Structure formats: C-alpha cells, structure tokens
Amino acid sequence: MRTLATVQTVTTAEPIPGADAIEKIRVLGWWVVVKKGEFRPGDRVVYCEIDSLLPEVPDFEFLRPSSYKPAIVDGTGTVLQHAGFRIKTVRLRGQVSQGICFPLIILPTGTPNGEGADVTEALGVRKWEPPQTGSAGRSKGNFPGFLPKTDETRAQVLEKTLARYQGVEFYLTEKLDGTSFTAFVRAGEFGVCSRNLLLDTTDDTATLVRVAKALGLEERLRTFVAARGHDVAVQGEVIGPGVQQNKYGLKELAMKVFNVFDVSAYRYLDRSDMLTAVAELGLEPVPALGTLVLDHGVDELVALSEGTSTLNPKVQREGIVLRPLSEVQDDYLGRLSFKAINPKFLLKYDE
Ligand code: ATP
Ligand code: MN
Ligand code: MN
C-alpha cells in the first residue's frame, strides 16, 4: 500500500509571480499552492499526496465542487473504486501544485502525529486508481514470491536518498504508460504475470498472454535459461492498442523491457548485462535517455522528466526512471531506482 497521507513540516513558503492571494509552500519534495499565510515554514501539517482519495467527511466537504468522484461499481455490484474527493496535479497561476495540506487538528484524537507519521488509515484515505484497461484474463494465483513486483518510488519523497547518491552515475529511461508485464522460466515452468497476479496462460483473451505468445517468449526464455544455466524473468511495460488509451498511437501491442532478473540468484542484472540479455532474447528495452552524474534535487529531476515521448514526439512522456549502472541496494529504498513524473503529462491525462 502506498503511503498517501503523512505528517510533515513545511520547509519553505514562496510567492507566485503575479498572484497575491496565494503562494506556494514546500512539503517533502512537493510544491503545494495554498492561501497566502495559511501555513508557515516550520508548521507541522497533514500532507496528502496526489492520487489520494479523501473520504466524504465534513473536513473535506469543501473539496466536493472541484474533486468529487462517484463510486465505480461493476456489473456484479462489486465496488471497484470508492467515492470520495480525488487529489490530483493542478496548475494555479502557472504554478504546478501537487497534493494538499491540512492542519493537524483534522487528525482523530490520539493519532500519532510525529514527523513522518503515516496517517493514511487514520484519515480513511484511499488510493485513487483509474479503472484498468486491457483484458485481464483468468488468473492462476498471486504474484510469485520468487520474483520482485515492479514498482518505482517518486523522487519527491526521496530527498534524503537523492542527497546520499550525489556524484553517482545514473542511467535514464523513458517511463512508459502501459501495463506491467512479467514472464519467467523457473524450475522448468513458464509463467506470465500482470502487476499483481500470476496469469492462466491457456486464456488467450488476456492481453498479456497474447503478447507473450506473439513474442514466442516461452521458447526464447527456455533457450536463454538453458544457455545461461540459471532461471530468469523479464519485466517490461506492455503498450499499444487497448492499453491506457494507446497514448503512443501504436498499431500493435509491444513489450519494452526494463528488468532482467536472475531468479536463481534473486538478483537484477546490471544495466549492460541486462541490455545484452534483452538483445539475446530478441526483445526491446524501454527507450534509453542517456546517463547523468547525480547533481540534482527533486526540482531538477522533475524538470528533466519533461519532454515528449521517444515513441511518439506528439505526446508528452509520462516521465523518467533513474537507476545506477550497477545495481545498488539502499537501506531505505531497497533497490536504488526511482521515477520523476512529467507534470505536463499529469495535467493532460490525469482526469
Ligand atoms: P504509485 O506507486 O506512484 O501510486 P504505481 O505503483 O501505480 O504508482 P507507476 O507510476 O506506473 O505505478 O510506476 C511504476 C511502474 O512503471 C512499474 O511497475 C512499471 O510497470 C512501469 N514502468 C514503465 N516504464 C518503466 C521504466 N522505464 N522503468 C521502470 N518501470 C517502468
Ligand atoms: Mn507504486
Ligand atoms: Mn504505470
């Protein structure tokens, strides 16, 4: 579960050019537009990140006109998404604002409110998840325990991590807005997974199963495993018709690899070994955007995330993913790898 609401300290308040009723304050690595004087540097606040869905309680009712989202219920009456007030990226007087701040008094009495306290549950905050696209198909079980799930943390919550790795060389890839794909061969068995589930590969209606078949992945992976002498998984993003409105305007489904994982050693391959493996497997990697020596704070990384997609110069890219050329395990983050999302993408597509 993503931590969406936490107790944080406001570090900065700055004017917005041309605006006198509002200003911007800094919380973690985020800029939030607020009424002038509402919060001061040093104030402790409840901060709710973008993608928060706030419950329909009196404290949040003022958000109804701008942010109310009704529940999404499927044909069988199952609630796919609860109703509530959805916090998203907005632009006010030219200033991008991400998230929302409240005084600590909105917390139920007795809620721990120390710096960094996770108050997501105490406030009943849920994650806003846009309905999934593509045909999910039948699942055979949970995501296997012998593989890591795909995920990337946002740079905005990693100021301390960024400080620690200044001077380290990172490579950048384009973050693609599709759906997560994993395929593996382990102990002689081939499998395909979505973000959270192991799929039934006999169900040809599933988008990800179709992709695996079209790529001949089972055979390719088996050949690779036989040659290398260890089990392996590939993880990538599936994009194209039927997936996330096919933003890139592709004619066919494609799968762009961002991880090759040595299942036997429980280890990601380093960048160059990964690219060699991807080529050997006859697959394609996610678009490469070069390297940099980290000398950047959150704002600089967000600025770097802006730009159009390598796959289609007419569309905003979703963002960038940064990783060191050699895999690094960080005490706080786990695998050293994180994302910066392009604000222009969020403003355009995140309804
Ligand atoms: P959040 O945790 O911020 O709520 P999320 O977990 O739903 O968001 P994303 O914002 O899509 O997910 O970020 C992580 C996903 O990005 C990965 O699971 C992977 O499927 C996808 N992805 C796309 N392009 C890349 C890339 N170049 N490198 C790594 N992951 C990528
Ligand atoms: Mn995530
Ligand atoms: Mn995604």
Side-chain angles (χ1 to χ4, degrees):
M1 251 315 277
R2 179 164 149 206
T3 299
L4 290 160
T6 54
V7 175
Q8 301 295 345
T9 302
V10 176
T11 52
T12 321
E14 285 180 15
I16 298 167
D20 21 86
I22 56 174
E23 62 186 344
K24 59 176 179 176
I25 61 170
R26 186 127 176 127
V27 179
L28 296 171
W30 306 95
W31 287 107
V32 186
V33 174
V34 296
K35 273 193 232 114
K36 196 171 262 178
E38 196 178 2
F39 301 100
R40 287 186 175 46
D43 284 357
R44 255 179 339 140
V45 297
V46 170
Y47 172 70
C48 301
E49 282 185 22
I50 52 170
D51 300 333
S52 292
L53 186 73
L54 306 187
E56 294 175 80
V57 297
D59 277 338
F60 304 138
E61 274 300 327
F62 73 97
L63 290 164
R64 187 172 293 277
S66 60
S67 315
Y68 179 70
K69 288 280 180 184
I72 302 170
V73 183
D74 76 4
T76 71
T78 309
V79 178
L80 300 176
Q81 175 73 62
H82 288 83
F85 306 119
R86 190 256 161 123
I87 306 304
K88 65 175 181 179
T89 303
V90 293
R91 195 200 294 266
L92 294 152
R93 295 297 196 95
Q95 172 63 47
V96 171
S97 177
Q98 297 189 290
I100 189 165
C101 291
F102 299 98
L104 293 184
I105 49 158
I106 68 157
L107 292 175
T109 23
T111 309
N113 64 0
E115 177 83 13
D118 182 350
V119 294
T120 310
E121 271 194 45
L123 288 175
V125 175
R126 294 187 163 96
K127 186 177 175 195
W128 164 258
E129 301 258 24
Q132 274 301 298
T133 55
S135 313
R138 274 193 307 274
S139 103
K140 267 204 313 197
N142 290 326
F143 195 90
F146 54 83
L147 294 175
K149 286 189 180 181
T150 66
D151 199 17
E152 296 297 332
T153 304
R154 287 158 199 266
Q156 281 90 345
V157 301
L158 295 176
E159 284 182 305
K160 289 188 187 121
T161 308
L162 294 182
R164 184 170 317 138
Y165 293 100
Q166 297 290 306
V168 171
E169 187 172 16
F170 284 76
Y171 70 92
L172 279 60
T173 58
E174 178 175 338
K175 186 172 190 298
L176 298 173
D177 182 30
T179 191
S180 174
F181 172 96
T182 296
F184 64 85
V185 164
R186 190 240 185 189
E189 199 190 324
F190 170 73
V192 175
C193 312
S194 62
R195 185 83 188 266
N196 294 309
L197 295 170
L198 177 65
L199 301 180
D200 178 350
T201 45
T202 64
D203 180 2
D204 277 316
T205 65
T207 304
L208 300 186
V209 171
R210 288 204 335 256
V211 168
K213 296 229 157 116
L215 291 170
L217 250 189
E218 176 165 1
E219 207 189 313
R220 285 170 195 253
L221 282 177
R222 287 189 188 284
T223 307
F224 186 87
V225 164
R228 296 285 177 117
H230 63 75
D231 288 339
V232 77
V234 293
Q235 299 187 305
E237 195 80 351
V238 165
I239 50 176
V243 181
Q244 300 290 88
Q245 293 86 247
N246 192 14
K247 295 197 175 71
Y248 308 99
L250 305 185
K251 295 223 167 61
E252 282 173 30
L253 288 165
M255 196 274 290
K256 307 281 185 178
V257 178
F258 50 74
N259 289 329
V260 177
F261 191 74
D262 177 342
V263 178
S264 310
Y266 200 81
R267 191 182 180 284
Y268 296 103
L269 269 56
D270 293 335
R271 174 66 170 166
S272 69
D273 295 342
M274 172 173 84
L275 290 177
T276 306
V278 168
E280 213 171 302
L281 285 161
L283 300 173
E284 287 169 350
V286 287
L289 298 172
T291 64
L292 59 75
V293 174
L294 194 64
D295 175 27
H296 301 65
V298 172
D299 288 354
E300 285 86 15
L301 293 179
V302 171
L304 276 180
S305 77
E306 291 189 15
T308 56
S309 172
T310 314
L311 302 180
N312 182 340
K314 291 202 198 86
V315 302
Q316 288 292 324
R317 66 170 168 243
E318 185 186 7
I320 55 177
V321 173
L322 287 92
R323 295 173 175 171
L325 293 167
S326 299
E327 289 291 321
V328 170
Q329 281 301 310
D330 175 74
D331 291 343
Y332 170 71
L333 193 56
R335 182 192 199 187
L336 181 56
S337 180
F338 49 86
K339 65 186 172 189
I341 304 293
N342 174 7
K344 292 201 174 113
F345 175 93
L346 292 175
L347 289 166
K348 178 156 174 109
Y349 294 111
D350 234 21
E351 309 119 29

